Amino acid sequence: SCLVGSEMCIRDSNNMQTLLAADIGGTKTLLQLSHLDGEIILQQRLENDDYADFESLLTAFFSTVTVDLLPVSSACFAVAAPLSGRRVELTNRSWIIDSDRLLQKFPLVELSLVNDFEAVGYGIGELEENDLIVLQQGKPEAKSLRAVIGAGTGLGQAILSPLHKSWRVWPTEGGHTDFAAQDIQQQALLNKLFEQFEHVSYERILSGSGLATLYQFIVEQQGNNTTLNLTAEQISQSALQKTDPAAITAMHLFMQIYGAQAGNLALTTLPRGGIFIAGGIAVKNLDLFEQGFFMQSFLAKGRMRGVLEQIPVYLINNPDVGLLGARLLAGKALYNVVHD
């Protein structure tokens, strides 16, 4: 064995060093173990509901890793929560992730925590051309800001600023800004949500649980008072298969509100380098994006329509973009340790 940071480590073999990337959301956790040269050793998707806490999940993952690959030289965990310090609780799951405790309990030499959309932001630079679907060509400016938004279990947002030949990512909690109704139907939705919540954010709607809320709202508007506890996946599948009119209407409304908030983010940041749509809901509903509900709402900003027409809009068709960013950051952290 050798000490991380020693010249002997560098002279040995990069393949002896391993990186662990994790993308920890409210519903699932993606983990990827790789060699420093980029070769993927092991990648797993684990369902969070199957584990009492994150340490139990990580224990299950490490039980599948052979001893010769340990300890992990550098790890980066992307966490769906606002971060401050080395200990954090997930926004949409009562899990505590404590860096120092994990370093003591697991075979990890270095560990950093980042916001999940910070990792997504860094992952954008690692994408291949065919990982992006162009929703609006716009007039891209290479040295301008970028922005990313993504609905999944929650609603993530981040801003990217150019830095030399790479990017600096600034995570935000913009998904928790106040939901603004755009018409009479959305005002009725807002009124209904105020009966349940003190604060109604965009994440209350643009998320898996939010889609279920939208569906029930549409069912009630259509005069059907039966409570149907469908999951977001069941609703989107019904809409895609055109088997349930209420599901179709709910998905169209979801896309309109999603486009409106993406437009809000675009006006706030003017990301002339592009705005990127991430998250599991986007990947699973490409057909709905292509129907135009999202972009129509994105552009519906009155006098600012012409400004928004110039901003490139891309849909990320790669569910592992957060892992790509976390792996990049794990590698950078190891490089910094070696060269300090």
Side-chain angles (χ1 to χ4, degrees), residues 22-31 43-51 54 57 78-80 90 92-93 95 97 116-117 120 151-154 233 278-284 318-323:
D23 186 358
I24 308 163
T27 303
K28 69 180 186 303
T29 296
L30 303 177
L31 296 123
Q43 184 165 322
Q44 293 182 7
R45 171 186 168 134
L46 300 177
E47 303 301 321
N48 293 354
D49 283 346
D50 294 339
Y51 302 92
F54 180 68
L57 182 148
V79 185
L90 268 66
N92 290 303
R93 180 170 290 267
W95 279 8
I97 299 178
D116 60 334
F117 264 72
V120 169
T153 304
E233 190 164 351
I281 291 176
V283 172
K284 296 172 184 174
N318 184 332
D320 294 340
V321 61
L323 268 187

Side-chain angles (χ1 to χ4, degrees), residues 54-55 58-59 62 71-72 75 77 86-87 97-112:
F54 180 68
E55 290 184 15
L58 200 55
T59 298
F62 271 112
V72 171
F77 293 171
R86 294 179 57 79
R87 186 177 185 274
I97 299 178
D98 186 321
S99 298
D100 295 328
R101 179 174 166 81
L102 294 176
L103 283 168
Q104 291 174 359
K105 188 171 180 179
F106 295 95
L108 304 167
V109 178
E110 294 286 335
L111 171 61
S112 58

